[in-house]
Amino acid sequence: MRRALAAIALAVLPGLSLAQTVPEPQGYRMDHYRAPVPATLQGGIVVGPEAAHGLWTSGEVAFIDVLPQAPKPAGLPEGTIWRDKPRDTIPGALWLPNVGYGAIAEVTAEYFRRGLDQATGGDRTRPVLFFCLEDCWMSWNAAKRALAWGYETVYWLPEGTDGWMLWDYPLERVTPLEPQP
């Protein structure tokens, strides 16, 4: 009986772990951006919070936060005070909200390119690290897009600032890079 149970467990357990694996899509993730993410990024380097902290302390990697920012709702009554939700992120990171959607408008692509140029000094060989929150496809999409644009060393932190905070690493309040008029 014990052998039979062990055999069943050995047969079922590998299937359970495969059921939890999220495959990389061929293109960009186009919807349901807050969902389990893949463990890989083809052409990129996946890092956890400890490795990301090491890259951060080296000062050689540009950190890019792509957490989306909700726009001010249209049609608010006159006199309504609107305050953007504050963002606490990895110190020194450049916040480029809304660049991680699967399909982005050309104006958003230009904003993203300008932010990458600012973060890397226009050097596509300078390493960049993308993050958002845990289980956020925005950072995966943004990292994939940077690879497609020719950035050579692209890191991705799937745990984002959630994982960073669990290790009690520092955070700072930031505002997003302003769009050009």
Side-chain angles (χ1 to χ4, degrees), residues 53-72:
H53 187 263
L55 294 169
W56 178 72
T57 57
S58 79
E60 297 174 10
V61 178
F63 278 61
I64 309 291
D65 186 342
V66 298
L67 180 76
Q69 183 181 41
K72 181 178 179 179

Side-chain angles (χ1 to χ4, degrees), residues 123-136:
D123 180 2
R124 291 184 185 197
T125 65
R126 179 161 183 214
V128 290
L129 184 145
F130 292 92
F131 64 97
C132 181
L133 301 173
E134 186 171 31
D135 288 337
C136 178

Side-chain angles (χ1 to χ4, degrees), residues 136-157:
C136 178
W137 281 86
M138 295 282 184
S139 56
W140 188 90
N141 280 345
K144 183 176 179 77
R145 190 164 277 120
L147 287 163
W149 288 345
Y151 285 84
E152 294 181 13
T153 307
V154 175
Y155 294 98
W156 174 47
L157 174 60

Side-chain angles (χ1 to χ4, degrees), residues 106-128:
E106 187 55 36
V107 67
T108 305
E110 287 302 318
Y111 171 75
F112 190 13
R113 285 185 186 100
R114 183 171 60 88
L116 285 172
D117 282 347
Q118 180 177 320
T120 64
D123 180 2
R124 291 184 185 197
T125 65
R126 179 161 183 214
V128 290

Side-chain angles (χ1 to χ4, degrees), residues 35-53:
V37 294
T40 58
L41 171 65
Q42 187 175 357
I45 303 161
V46 181
V47 296
E50 287 182 288
H53 187 263

